[in-house]
């Protein structure tokens, strides 16, 4: 479990700053940091790593050029977020509902207008699961 991609991105940027303190333009730190972050995701999801990987990320909500609003994995900068899903077969959303003490979280498996979720087994998986057992239920559906 990588919890969270958001914080790993911040640490990758700190690494890049320390590795290249002489850069006069701070934007030059982002390329190497994004490379480290993408390489980490690629290594974790490589076929020869042979394990289930869960990467948790906050959502970066952006207005697109056409005026629509889309959410992406919050990684580092704007370029990497849209690329993250290519490394994963399944992308789900943890979404709260309710107010105050009645807030409940659910895992959603079907795309929304805001997020392009990925469900490789739509006939086996429910549209949503309770947070308490959702991951186990999703893995069970994917393994069946």
């Amino acid at each position: 479990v990588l919890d969270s991609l958001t914080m790993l991105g911040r640490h990758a940027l700190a690494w890049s700053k320390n590795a290249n303190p002489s850069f006069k333009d701070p934007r030059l730190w982002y390329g190497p940091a994004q490379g480290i972050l993408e390489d980490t995701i690629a290594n974790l999801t490589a076929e020869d790593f042979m394990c289930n990987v869960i990467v948790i990320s906050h959502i970066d909500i952006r207005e697109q050029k056409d005026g629509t609003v889309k959410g992406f994995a919050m990684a580092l900068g704007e370029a990497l977020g849209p690329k993250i899903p290519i490394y994963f077969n399944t992308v789900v959303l943890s979404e709260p509902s309710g107010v105050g003490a009645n807030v409940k979280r659910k895992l959603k498996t079907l795309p929304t207008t805001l997020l392009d979720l990925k469900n490789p087994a739509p006939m086996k998986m429910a549209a949503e699961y309770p947070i308490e057992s959702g991951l186990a239920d999703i893995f069970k559906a994917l393994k069946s």
Side-chain angles (χ1 to χ4, degrees), residues 30-60:
Y30 280 81
Q34 288 174 334
I36 288 290
L37 197 55
E38 187 170 2
D39 288 349
T40 300
I41 296 295
N43 286 329
L44 288 174
T45 58
E47 194 172 308
D48 56 346
F49 198 64
M50 295 176 43
C51 73
N52 295 313
V53 176
I54 298 169
V55 175
I56 299 169
S57 175
H58 296 87
I59 299 171
D60 183 13

Side-chain angles (χ1 to χ4, degrees), residues 5-20 23 26-41 75-81 83-84:
L5 181 65
T6 309
M7 292 308 296
L8 183 62
R10 289 184 186 198
H11 291 293
L13 183 59
W15 168 84
S16 184
K17 286 179 180 180
N18 287 322
N20 305 294
F23 284 172
R27 293 176 294 180
L28 296 176
W29 289 320
Y30 280 81
Q34 288 174 334
I36 288 290
L37 197 55
E38 187 170 2
D39 288 349
T40 300
I41 296 295
L76 176 65
E78 292 188 12
L80 193 53
K83 292 170 67 176
I84 296 297

Side-chain angles (χ1 to χ4, degrees), residues 47-134:
E47 194 172 308
D48 56 346
F49 198 64
M50 295 176 43
C51 73
N52 295 313
V53 176
I54 298 169
V55 175
I56 299 169
S57 175
H58 296 87
I59 299 171
D60 183 13
I61 299 172
R62 305 181 202 160
E63 185 173 342
Q64 303 299 290
K65 291 178 184 175
D66 65 0
T68 59
V69 176
K70 262 322 204 189
F72 300 97
M74 187 179 286
L76 176 65
E78 292 188 12
L80 193 53
K83 292 170 67 176
I84 296 297
I86 67 172
Y87 290 99
F88 297 93
N89 295 327
T90 307
V91 177
V92 300
L93 168 67
S94 172
E95 187 174 70
S97 62
V99 179
N102 295 324
V103 171
K104 300 272 187 207
R105 290 194 175 275
K106 293 183 179 180
L107 294 179
K108 297 198 170 200
T109 65
L110 298 177
T112 68
T113 54
L114 182 63
L115 293 167
D116 295 329
L117 304 178
K118 290 169 73 175
N119 179 344
M123 303 307 249
K124 294 181 181 180
M125 258 196 261
E128 58 184 42
Y129 292 97
I131 194 77
E132 297 81 9
S133 63

